[in-house]
Amino acid sequence: MRQVYLDHNATTPVRKEVLEAMMPYFAEEYGNASSVHSMGQSAMKAVESAREVIGEAIGTEAVDIVFTSGGTESGNFAIKGIAMANLDKGRHIITSEIEHLAVLDSCRFIEEELGFEVTRIPVDKYGVIDLDRLKDSVRKDTVLISIMFANNEVGTIQPVKEIANIAKKNGIYFHTDAVQALGKELIDVEELGIDLCSFSAHKLNGPKGAGALFIKKGVKLTPFHNGGHHERKRRAGTLNVPGIVGFGRAVEAAQKEMPEVNKRMKKLTERFLDGLNKELDEIYLNGHPEKRLSNTINISFKYIEGESLILNFDLKGISASTGSACTSGSLDPSHVLIAMGVEPALAQGSIRFSFGYENTEEDVDYCLAEIPPIVKRLREMSPLC
Ligand SMILES: *Cc1c(COP(=O)(O)O)cnc(C)c1O
């Protein structure tokens, strides 16, 4: 049976060249990047060259990149780090209703543990945040705005520059979770006016457990890993050398192929959507029609449960998801779709198909042959019809 993986927003396969670049750093070049001997220095050199690549990809200098264990840690670090470092300035932060849990739960944490107030900005039906509400929510004691670059469930891209301008005008730090955007969209932190930006390697065909936080020069965060002078005292802990090397290679490859891959993703997702629309009634695309990630298609299938779709797709070798991998397992409808005003029953029947560079037209055609009959069969059995 054909296997078609359409869950790239959850994680992606490691590219062959990324894996090859990583291999020597497990058992041959195994030095600790903090050691002064040549084994250590050779590891450090590899780390620094990855840092250069990533800095260059986002329009900044290498020293502004701090390596972390991934997007979740980067988001936690940005939010808790800014909160802790600015306790005397104010205890209000602004985020959106559609963030990844890495951000939402970090905000919840500082709300409960540090006495912060959190304003969560709503979004329109396309998942775009309300800029007027954002402007109106700014207070004298606001220390941080954290709004994602591109949404992981529906793919909507936020007006990042406008958000940054509001932050700058009011002397507030701006963090954006760009985990889904890196390698898919151009990110120039300086041009956009971003102070803090989270990344993760495994969302762009790099290894799991490696990520980064961009910290603009002069922005002070309280580190929450203590225990050494690594990463200029911003993040203690022995560096994940193979992971970082793989991350660098993944960014390099994704940046180079971005225009071509985006074009291909757009074609594949259009073919997919057109095909489904030909065969099925009452299916709805979620997210912005244009301001969206080229690889992400979130569809509501009326009258059906998302979970049963996922299981039936899986029986045919098709991997998709009902939303974020971190929230699946809970039977609540997606907080992102609910924030967009999708009615709960419809939100329950929504599936995210996220494509990747290794998907082909044959994959799409296979899905177009398998998915409609599954949907029709489930609808025939559905008490909701
Ligand atoms: C996957 C993801 C994260 C978490 O990154 P990890 O490296 O898996 O911890 C954070 N934000 C978004 C938008 C994501 O898609």
Side-chain angles (χ1 to χ4, degrees):
M1 187 174 54
R2 198 178 182 97
Q3 292 293 323
V4 181
Y5 183 78
L6 295 179
D7 201 11
H8 292 81
N9 289 9
T11 195
T12 58
V14 171
R15 274 179 195 259
K16 194 163 157 280
E17 73 242 52
V18 168
L19 187 60
E20 278 167 9
M22 291 171 68
M23 286 309 275
Y25 294 93
F26 287 104
E28 294 152 39
E29 302 273 347
Y30 52 81
N32 184 321
S34 301
S35 300
V36 289
H37 49 62
S38 45
M39 282 291 282
Q41 289 314 298
S42 152
M44 190 44 117
K45 221 174 123 195
V47 165
E48 291 313 319
S49 97
R51 204 189 304 276
E52 288 285 339
V53 165
I54 295 164
E56 191 174 329
I58 63 162
T60 192
E61 286 173 38
V63 295
D64 304 335
I65 304 293
V66 174
F67 287 116
T68 66
S69 65
T72 300
E73 186 190 323
S74 296
N76 273 262
F77 185 17
I79 290 161
K80 296 177 189 171
I82 284 287
M84 292 285 287
N86 293 281
L87 287 174
D88 53 340
K89 284 205 196 116
R91 298 196 186 199
H92 177 236
I93 85 163
I94 301 174
T95 184
S96 81
E97 287 184 347
I98 60 158
E99 298 297 310
H100 188 274
L101 281 186
V103 166
L104 282 182
D105 285 352
S106 294
C107 290
R108 173 86 56 214
F109 178 86
I110 62 169
E111 198 171 36
E112 287 170 359
E113 303 296 327
L114 299 176
F116 269 70
E117 283 180 65
V118 180
T119 302
R120 296 169 181 87
I121 305 294
V123 295
D124 65 15
K125 64 176 175 175
Y126 298 124
V128 179
I129 68 137
D130 184 336
L131 284 171
D132 290 327
R133 280 287 281 276
L134 175 61
K135 272 181 219 149
D136 293 345
S137 301
V138 169
R139 311 190 327 205
K140 276 206 176 60
D141 60 344
T142 310
V143 292
L144 179 72
I145 295 174
S146 181
I147 291 176
M148 69 200 318
F149 200 114
N151 183 267
N152 47 306
E153 292 191 28
V154 297
T156 299
I157 296 170
Q158 299 299 331
V160 174
K161 194 165 181 173
E162 285 83 348
I163 299 167
N165 283 340
I166 294 170
K168 192 180 287 169
K169 222 180 263 166
N170 292 284
I172 301 167
Y173 294 122
F174 173 43
H175 165 248
T176 187
D177 172 352
V179 168
Q180 289 296 342
L182 187 65
K184 298 179 192 145
E185 291 293 316
L186 288 173
I187 303 171
D188 186 327
V189 289
E190 195 166 310
E191 202 265 323
L192 292 169
I194 297 166
D195 299 311
L196 299 145
C197 196
S198 294
F199 304 110
S200 174
H202 76 99
K203 301 293 174 82
L204 69 155
N205 306 101
K208 293 162 185 68
L213 180 66
F214 157 73
I215 306 176
K216 189 178 159 173
K217 282 187 196 66
V219 177
K220 293 261 175 308
L221 303 192
T222 301
F224 71 95
H225 280 202
N226 310 110
H229 290 181
H230 316 83
E231 298 296 89
R232 298 169 171 250
K233 299 193 190 166
R234 293 171 295 187
R235 198 270 190 187
T238 300
L239 291 178
N240 170 9
V241 179
I244 291 167
V245 167
F247 187 14
R249 264 318 260 274
V251 168
E252 198 175 349
Q255 289 291 117
K256 201 171 89 202
E257 294 175 18
M258 192 190 299
E260 183 261 322
V261 171
N262 272 340
K263 214 183 281 170
R264 221 154 46 72
M265 290 304 107
K266 193 155 179 280
K267 247 173 99 178
L268 289 183
T269 50
E270 273 169 9
R271 185 186 183 92
F272 180 64
L273 197 57
D274 289 348
L276 289 183
N277 272 318
K278 267 195 203 111
E279 287 293 321
L280 296 168
D281 298 324
E282 300 199 82
I283 62 171
Y284 308 97
L285 176 68
N286 298 307
H288 199 281
E290 289 114 39
K291 282 177 251 163
R292 60 183 304 115
L293 295 173
S294 64
N295 78 316
T296 309
I297 289 283
N298 187 307
I299 298 173
S300 297
F301 295 87
K302 204 167 179 187
Y303 309 121
I304 330 181
E305 284 284 337
E307 296 296 327
S308 42
L309 281 171
I310 296 297
L311 295 176
N312 281 279
F313 293 167
D314 194 39
L315 292 174
K316 296 291 181 185
I318 300 167
S319 310
S321 75
T322 48
S324 161
C326 312
T327 42
S328 56
S330 87
L331 288 174
D332 295 336
S334 145
H335 70 283
V336 175
L337 296 176
I338 295 299
M340 289 163 59
V342 177
E343 58 171 292
L346 197 53
Q348 293 275 21
S350 302
I351 303 291
R352 174 185 72 186
F353 302 95
S354 46
F355 289 70
Y357 82 101
E358 78 283 0
N359 289 129
T360 61
E361 279 189 9
E362 288 72 35
D363 289 341
V364 171
D365 293 343
Y366 176 78
C367 290
L368 290 177
E370 298 296 340
I371 290 175
I374 294 173
V375 173
K376 287 175 189 165
R377 184 161 47 80
L378 289 175
R379 277 182 178 169
E380 274 163 24
M381 304 187 316
S382 167
L384 303 169
C385 267

